[in-house]
């Protein structure tokens, strides 16, 4: 009799602990603004344009129980990109219709781990009012309480209905290279 | 000849006035902005204006657009004049010369009040058209200027038949140059203009001061190349004054070189 009571008590205790003390949840971690950057590279027959934005909102959704990144969302103001020439940046603002579409954003719910330090991200890029699927590799590294994500991907300006800007009557190449370097203030451990 | 000189002087007066007005802030970006139409800001605190203009480049555009245009009940009708003015200013760059303010400011001659996004988009479209034509005409003018210099040099080398080419080419260059400059000067302001930036466009405009000065000097010097000789108190036939011709020649080369350099700055 006593044995049954003791066993039942242990069972109840175990169940309640799993019900009430299970602290696994998906946390949203904001990337550090002063350390995270997005760059774009645009090639013109006469020279190459490199612009950088440090005004980025990046959220990484991380599941503590499964040790997995379950989502990523990134957005940046299109006028925040600085190529060192405000006339050029203003021109870019014109061609991407910054007054109508002020932000470029990326959202993903599919983040797969390929290797120990490489992720595969599939998501959608919203740029110039056009949403297109994009996927790319992300290199992950850990250092002093932070996780850094680096990656590169390419888009076509015309696919996003952007008229290619011209300089001295010559248009830039259609390919826009986007690179990013995001730093989140937490080591996002991976499950085994 | 006098009529031609008069036309050149009138063209350059317009050009120089516009150029000086436009270039004001480039050489003194820290100076307080001179709003010619400041009387229209009556009732507005200057501090409020400055605060908003300062945030124009620093506050991300999404904030502006989401609050101002993407809905809500803050329509233009419910806003005070100060609020409307501040919002409109965020569509404009932080630094605007008094001439840009006069033409394209929140209460500019060519803008309806209050300045709104639709109108600003139209301005930007116009700006792009004007700057595209600025490039087209600039390149055409460069060719014309090169041909003028060449014809002038050949004339000085003794090929007198090129003198009949030199003058019309010079006139075409003056017209092309003035039109090119006016298109850039009168274009609506860009979306962004960062203070203290020394990019390619800065040097493009800096060199413009040199070739603009050259373009003013050249026709003046040209009109004084031929002088009457005097023998025994009698006025003789017109002759080339070699020193003056040399001054015109050197000025021509400097002008062409700086004009070329100003185009090249855009490339790099």
């Amino acid at each position: 009799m006593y044995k049954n009571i003791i066993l039942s008590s242990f069972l109840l205790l175990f169940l309640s602990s799993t019900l009430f003390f299970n602290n696994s949840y998906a946390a949203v971690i904001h990337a550090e603004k002063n350390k995270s950057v997005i760059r774009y590279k645009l090639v013109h027959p006469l020279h190459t344009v490199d612009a950088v934005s440090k005004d980025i909102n990046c959220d990484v959704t991380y599941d503590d129980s499964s040790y997995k990144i379950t989502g990523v969302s990134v957005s940046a103001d299109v006028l925040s990109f600085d190529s060192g020439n405000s006339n050029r940046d203003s021109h870019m603002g014109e061609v991407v219709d910054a007054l109508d579409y002020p932000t470029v954003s990326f959202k993903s719910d599919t983040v797969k781990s390929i290797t120990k330090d490489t992720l595969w991200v599939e998501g959608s890029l919203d740029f110039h009012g056009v949403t297109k699927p994009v996927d790319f590799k992300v290199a992950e590294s850990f250092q002093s309480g932070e996780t850094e994500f680096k990656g590169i991907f390419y888009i076509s300006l015309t696919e996003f209905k952007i008229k290619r800007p011209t300089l001295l009557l010559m248009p830039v190449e259609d390919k826009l290279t986007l690179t990013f370097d995001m730093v989140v203030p937490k080591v996002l451990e991976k499950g085994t | 000849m006098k009529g031609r000189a008069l036309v050149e002087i009138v063209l350059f007066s317009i050009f120089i006035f516009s150029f000086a007005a436009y270039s004001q802030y480039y050489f003194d970006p820290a100076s307080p902005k001179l709003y010619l139409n400041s009387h229209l800001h009556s009732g507005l605190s200057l501090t409020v204006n400055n605060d908003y203009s300062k945030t124009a480049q620093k506050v991300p555009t999404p904030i502006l657009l989401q609050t101002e245009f993407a809905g809500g009940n803050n329509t233009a009708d419910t806003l005070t004049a100060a609020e409307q003015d501040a919002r409109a200013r965020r569509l404009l760059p932080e630094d605007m010369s008094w001439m840009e303010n006069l033409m394209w400011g929140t209460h500019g001659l060519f803008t309806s009040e209050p300045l709104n996004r639709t109108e600003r988009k139209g301005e930007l479209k116009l700006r792009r058209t004007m700057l595209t034509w600025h490039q087209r005409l600039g390149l055409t003018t460069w060719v014309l200027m090169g041909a003028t210099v060449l014809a002038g040099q050949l004339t000085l080398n003794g090929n007198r038949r090129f003198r009949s080419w030199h003058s019309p080419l010079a006139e075409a260059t003056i017209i092309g140059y003035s039109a090119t400059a006016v298109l850039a000067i009168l274009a609506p302001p860009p979306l962004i203009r960062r203070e203290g930036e020394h990019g390619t466009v800065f040097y493009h405009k800096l060199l413009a001061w040199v070739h603009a000065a050259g373009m003013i000097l050249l026709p003046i010097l040209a009109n004084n190349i031929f002088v009457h000789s005097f023998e025994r108190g009698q006025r003789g036939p017109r002759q080339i004054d070699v020193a003056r011709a040399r001054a015109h020649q050197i000025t021509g080369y400097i002008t062409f070189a700086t004009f070329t350099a100003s185009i090249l700055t855009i490339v790099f």
Side-chain angles (χ1 to χ4, degrees):
Chain A
M1 179 70 181
Y2 285 112
K3 195 181 174 183
N4 284 341
I5 290 169
I6 290 164
L7 276 171
S8 304
S9 300
F10 271 112
L11 189 64
L12 268 171
L13 195 66
F14 172 73
L15 284 172
S16 61
S17 70
T18 54
L19 274 173
F20 298 109
F21 299 101
N22 183 0
N23 59 358
S24 66
Y25 59 95
V28 175
I29 305 155
H30 305 294
E32 293 184 66
K33 279 206 168 189
N34 54 342
K35 291 182 180 174
S36 304
V37 293
I38 300 178
R39 293 173 197 278
Y40 77 72
K41 189 168 91 172
L42 207 51
V43 179
H44 185 267
L46 298 173
H47 63 166
T48 300
V49 176
D50 280 297
V52 61
S53 173
K54 293 175 181 172
D55 189 11
I56 302 150
N57 295 305
C58 172
D59 293 335
V60 177
T61 311
Y62 180 69
D63 191 336
D64 274 341
S65 60
S66 60
Y67 299 108
K68 278 182 181 171
I69 295 169
T70 55
V72 180
S73 74
V74 183
S75 69
D77 174 8
V78 291
L79 289 180
S80 68
F81 286 87
D82 185 353
S83 69
N85 182 333
S86 53
N87 264 285
R88 187 195 291 139
D89 296 332
S90 182
H91 190 181
M92 279 304 288
E94 288 168 33
V95 296
V96 301
D97 292 321
L99 294 181
D100 282 335
Y101 311 108
T103 56
V104 53
S105 61
F106 171 77
K107 198 170 182 181
S108 168
D109 293 324
T110 311
V111 182
K112 297 169 188 168
S113 187
I114 303 173
T115 62
K116 192 185 168 190
D117 52 8
T118 315
L119 302 168
W120 182 256
V121 179
E122 292 169 11
S124 56
L125 184 73
D126 187 354
F127 184 31
H128 191 236
V130 178
T131 306
K132 293 267 177 195
V134 287
D135 46 38
F136 46 86
K137 267 186 195 175
V138 178
E140 194 180 18
S141 61
F142 310 99
Q143 51 196 350
S144 57
E146 293 175 337
T147 307
E148 188 176 16
F149 301 98
K150 284 183 179 179
I152 183 168
F153 63 101
Y154 311 92
I155 61 166
S156 154
L157 290 175
T158 46
E159 274 187 14
F160 282 88
K161 295 181 180 170
I162 295 165
K163 193 181 172 189
R164 289 186 286 162
T166 60
L167 176 69
L168 291 176
L169 315 177
M170 288 179 275
V172 298
E173 284 182 8
D174 187 47
K175 188 172 96 172
L176 181 81
T177 306
L178 283 154
T179 55
F180 58 86
D181 187 348
M182 303 290 167
V183 178
V184 296
K186 185 177 179 180
V187 175
L188 305 182
E189 295 169 78
K190 281 186 177 176
T192 49
Chain B
M1 195 68 179
K2 279 182 183 175
R4 190 186 298 162
L6 189 68
V7 171
E8 286 169 3
I9 288 164
V10 169
L11 268 173
F12 274 107
S13 301
I14 296 167
F15 163 66
I16 288 302
F17 170 76
S18 312
F19 188 76
Y22 183 70
S23 303
Q24 180 195 350
Y25 78 94
Y26 281 101
F27 293 90
D28 191 9
S31 69
K33 283 77 188 172
L34 171 64
Y35 295 107
L36 279 189
N37 52 349
S38 58
H39 64 280
L40 292 168
H41 289 249
S42 56
L44 298 177
S45 153
L46 190 62
T47 314
V48 169
N49 274 340
N50 282 346
D51 283 346
Y52 275 108
S53 68
K54 277 175 188 166
T55 53
Q57 298 300 303
K58 288 159 191 164
V59 172
T61 309
I63 294 171
L64 153 76
L65 296 173
Q66 281 159 14
T67 54
E68 184 177 356
F69 301 110
N73 56 3
N74 286 337
T75 58
D77 295 339
T78 61
L79 297 172
T80 64
E83 285 171 327
Q84 286 178 10
D85 185 75
R87 288 180 174 203
R89 280 203 64 78
R90 285 190 243 170
L91 292 167
L92 296 166
E94 184 178 352
D95 274 328
M96 287 172 67
S97 65
W98 63 264
M99 192 167 167
E100 281 180 321
N101 265 302
L102 180 71
M103 292 186 298
W104 306 107
T106 48
H107 307 289
L109 294 170
F110 303 138
T111 49
S112 65
E113 293 182 34
L115 178 65
N116 56 53
R117 183 178 57 156
T118 309
E119 189 176 340
R120 186 71 177 111
K121 278 167 63 184
E123 284 180 10
L124 291 170
K125 199 173 174 184
L126 174 66
R127 172 183 164 79
R128 192 49 42 202
T129 306
M130 289 174 82
L131 292 184
T132 302
W133 276 103
H134 170 76
Q135 291 177 55
R136 286 174 184 158
L137 280 174
L139 290 171
T140 309
T141 303
W142 180 76
V143 173
L144 286 168
M145 196 184 281
T148 309
V149 169
L150 183 66
Q153 185 58 57
L154 289 169
T155 306
L156 288 173
N157 289 351
N159 298 303
R160 296 292 174 197
R161 63 195 171 98
F162 284 103
R163 197 186 152 198
S164 60
W165 287 67
H166 183 65
S167 295
L169 279 168
E171 282 169 16
T173 304
I174 289 167
I175 292 165
Y177 185 88
S178 302
T180 305
V182 165
L183 280 168
I185 291 160
L186 301 183
L191 274 170
I192 308 165
R193 186 179 280 147
R194 298 187 197 96
E195 267 188 46
E197 192 179 79
H198 288 182
T200 52
V201 174
F202 172 82
Y203 292 106
H204 180 71
K205 289 174 178 173
L206 194 67
L207 286 165
W209 280 89
V210 182
H211 60 68
M215 287 297 289
I216 295 162
L217 278 173
L218 280 167
I220 296 167
L221 292 169
N223 285 334
N224 292 304
I225 285 175
F226 290 94
V227 290
H228 290 281
S229 60
F230 284 89
E231 288 177 16
R232 296 175 197 153
Q234 298 292 313
R235 198 163 84 157
R238 292 178 79 209
Q239 291 178 339
I240 286 182
D241 182 317
V242 176
R244 289 178 182 186
R246 179 71 70 191
H248 176 77
Q249 180 196 26
I250 292 167
T251 309
Y253 275 116
I254 292 170
T255 306
F256 184 58
T258 48
F259 193 65
T260 308
S262 71
I263 293 171
L264 288 174
T265 55
I266 296 294
V267 175
F268 298 107

